[in-house]
Amino acid sequence: MADEVKIDAQTFHNRLSTLTSAWKADRRSSDALFAGVGSFIVLMGKNEETATYQKSNAMHYWLLGYEFPATLMLFTPDALWVVTTIKKAKHLEGLKGGKTPLEILVRGKDPDQNAKHFEKCLDLITNSGKKVGILAKDTMTGPFIEEWKKAYGEISKDIEEVDITPALSIAALAVKDETELRNMRDSARASTGIMTEFFVEEMSEILDEEKKVTHKQLSDRIDRKLDEPKFFQSLKSKLTSDFDTQQLDWIYGPVIQSGGSYDLKLTAQSDENNLHAGTIIAGLGLRYKSYSSMVARTYLVDPNDAQESNYKLLLNVHEAIVKEAREGVAIKDLYNKAISVIKSSKRPEMEKHFVKTAGGGIGLETKDTVLAINAKNTRVLKDGMTLYISTGFTDVENPKPQDKKSKTYSLGITDTIRIRRDQDPAVFTNGAASDTGSVCFFFKDEDEEPQPKKQTKKDPKVGAVAASNITKTKLRAERTTQVDEGAEARRREHQKELAQKKQQEGLATYSEAVGDENGVAQKKFKKFESYKRDNQFPSKVKDLAIIVDEKASTIVLPIMGRPVPFHIQTVKNASKTDEGEFAFLRINFLSPGQGVGRKDDQPFEDPTAHFVRSLTFRSRDLERMDLIAEQITNLRKNAVRREQEKKELEDVVEQDKLVEVRNRKPNRLDNIFVRPAMDGKRISGEVEIHQNGLRYIDHRGSKIDILFSNVKHLFFQPCTHELIVIIHVHLKNPIMIGKKKAKDVQFYREATDMQFDETGNRKRKHRYGDEEEFEQEQEERRRRAQLDKQFKRFAEDIQTGARDEGWGVDIPFRELGFNGVPNRSNVFMQPTADCLVQLTEPPFTVITLDEIEVAHLERVQFGLKNFDMVFVFKDFHRPPVHINTIPVESLEPVKEWLDSINIAYSEGPLNLNWSTIMKTITADPHQFFVDGGWSFLAAESDDEGSDEEEEESAFEMSDSDLAVSEESSEDESDFDDDASADEGSASDEVSAGEDWDTLEKKAKKKDREGGLDDEEDSGRKRKR
């Protein structure tokens, strides 16, 4: 035990020098602090286990870091005299030789010698002056103390005793150095960690499950946490790396109070009453390396308005005291500030309930009354002082008590702070939140319907979807407005404006000054390191044999009598051939100019350097050569696989931790399935809304956490015309679900009920007739409407929880939808306010409209029943998205939709090679826009349109052409009949009431688009 005691000599001398300097300075001035004492005594009796330190204990810890029982310290302005036993004296011998001399008087078994030591001390006291300082409030016991009192009684009548407790507090203990402050911060973090990460969890569980647990039992549970080092290692408020849980001890509590019986003093204890769901006050304090901290919080369960209002007032008072605590401020001003805040509030009557003392000093002592915060203390705060601020209202009457135990209640908040110069104090215990949102718990079910939000009227011509673009019927014959020349001209004019705008934006974005940044990001040269030091080589390299080191991903080859390592990433492949009794192993390396594929293409630091392309080894051991070739091949495969996995997961982010809701039951939606399914299994679970995200938990306990900060879009798709109702989350960055990454997470429930299914189950078997079927349909409609309402409300709750993120609930417009093939299957695409989505069938499609640069419609020509649409993104390095096989009936609605959301589009008869186009653009975007930008997409259609206008004008002016046209009208009408049969549009056009000339022009236009105009021209020439 003796070998474990290590006293820091530097700290001892610094602190002793600080004390004696303050003492001497006080003697030179007015003796206001030490009251003119010539010496003072610090006595320590037998060792007693107590939760609080007396001033004697604090002085021992402050100077030595340990308690030395049965020891007397006599301080004079010139030296420190210590009377102690021989074992303790050995530890003190190393402290001699400092600025202030240290004299040690060793006690032994000889009573006469011990008496002489006390006589020496008495002589020093009398020679130093008529006043001696003592610690009047300290109560020490033991044989050593009795022996000293007997000796001291001889001179006690001749000298004056002065209590120097305040002097030692101010001159020695109050202002902390950096080591002391660090210990207090660690103590505070441990205290707040227990409060927030254990007590609040336990309390929430007890109240939520309505368990019967007494205050004492809950206090004991908290007490046992000190014996769990792993708990402190896992705290969110990170402790220092060298934190030692063995040096933690309780100084206060833990104290749990509820049910109308409260005591805000530090002497309070947890009683045997059950925890009551009302006003709960929890307080605790820890000591770490002898330095203390305290924290207390009030938790309100289902509070009424008066309780919440009183707590907000207390919180304002508490924050006002903390903010006022600065260097140079008198302590009484802190208390007076609190009273002024109460008097100026709407509840001045609360002043009579406010505590008489709002805190005090803290550190080595749990409560230093010298720094007590009350209306009379005139002492001034200094930088480095530490206080505990303890504010509260006691015995407040509850105007609307929830039950008998809630008629009166108290409120209390305690924090540990450090005074700083010219700035607000540092709150060591701010890790335990005290705002109303964190301390008010609501467990009662809220049946109130949310008030409908007032919807602001929007201009139908502005926004993602124009109101005029929504049709009320699917039958073209019933539409009041068909696509006319006016609408087409309006769209064409608007598209010209959009094209010009895109061109100007492109030139401004990709200016010549940008330089190389316009091009593709250059591949970086990769360096691979096999071994950092020679001693990391495998031990077998001494044999100068080929070694495949899988751990280092390296092949060690013997070259010129030396082992040379080659990282597997430098190896292209390895092959083995047999010739007679020899086996040849050929290892090919990657080097410039090999003409390898794109996947193997990689940059080199100096392509002009000399490279080893291959090495060949010969051996008689055929089996070993086979083994080595196989090992190299497998090592190469594993390296490639790891690179692919790394590349696949490089955009996956590790989200921050989900902050769970603790003060109430989280808003949840149950009986929910998730896509993609975890572990590939379809298991139902529930979705919960927490403070900063969503959590999905299935019945096995598996979890998926989605933070609001990682959400890009939130969609709600009702079950109208669908089999499921959906809440879909599109993420900014992918997350891992199971072993796969996912950028879309969908929560859904099936809209059909098995008991109403047409499979002949038990309920359906015994229902016959039209009336029952009608009831069944009505029930189905009601159930679907209720399901939509429930999911939509939950989606809006998600939006409310993420109000600061800037996104809201997006609902697809089914009226604007069209069929297409974005992946492999034909699905129904639906526009929303911000996106174009397909959420029903995986893989899902979510295209953000703001990210689109242009859209191009391919295979738009007469005679084809389908066309394709390509979206090019503003990020040119992102591959374009194709939606193929869109029915031609959707062509005009798609054009109108694109035009209404201000997306520039073009159309052409052929499919383009977009990979080549995008390579050309990314190689030099500036030159691309200088050459005309996206105008090349519309160039061909514009040329055809101009030729068409010229021919039509010539046709109108030429009588001979008109005659030729009349002669050939029969043939052309036959062709038109065939076309109308295919397209199903001729009867519609006639029924729309357009005149014959307009129809003829349209027919000729379609002929030209179909490539029949050449035949017409040749026919005309022959007739002429």
Side-chain angles (χ1 to χ4, degrees), residues 552-566:
S553 298
T554 299
I555 306 167
V556 183
L557 304 176
I559 301 176
M560 306 292 291
R562 293 179 178 273
V564 181
F566 291 87

Side-chain angles (χ1 to χ4, degrees), residues 473-604:
T473 177
K474 294 184 178 180
L475 300 178
R476 289 177 295 174
E478 297 177 4
R479 294 177 188 172
T480 56
T481 56
Q482 295 296 322
V483 179
D484 55 5
E485 293 296 332
E488 181 66 27
R490 175 183 55 79
R491 275 204 307 263
R492 192 181 297 115
E493 189 66 27
H494 187 216
Q495 285 298 312
K496 285 183 180 179
E497 296 176 3
L498 292 177
Q500 292 175 359
K501 185 179 179 182
K502 285 292 178 187
Q503 177 70 8
Q504 294 171 0
E505 289 177 354
L507 290 172
T509 303
Y510 300 99
S511 61
E512 288 182 330
V514 178
D516 294 337
E517 292 181 9
N518 287 335
V520 183
Q522 297 295 322
K523 293 183 178 180
K524 295 182 179 179
F525 173 74
K526 294 182 180 180
K527 292 186 178 181
F528 305 102
E529 189 175 42
S530 298
Y531 306 105
K532 292 184 179 181
R533 295 179 296 276
D534 294 344
N535 58 6
Q536 293 180 338
F537 274 85
S539 58
K540 296 181 181 179
V541 296
K542 298 178 181 178
D543 302 334
L544 291 178
I546 300 176
I547 298 173
V548 180
D549 188 354
E550 295 183 1
K551 186 177 180 181
S553 298
T554 299
I555 306 167
V556 183
L557 304 176
I559 301 176
M560 306 292 291
R562 293 179 178 273
V564 181
F566 291 87
H567 197 278
I568 192 63
Q569 294 289 358
T570 64
V571 177
K572 183 181 178 183
N573 53 42
S575 61
K576 177 250 182 185
T577 57
D578 296 334
E579 293 184 12
E581 61 180 0
F582 292 102
F584 291 85
L585 176 67
R586 181 183 176 90
I587 302 175
N588 297 316
F589 298 94
L590 294 171
S591 60
Q594 289 184 332
V596 294
R598 287 180 299 171
K599 293 182 179 179
D600 297 328
D601 188 21
Q602 61 177 354
F604 293 87

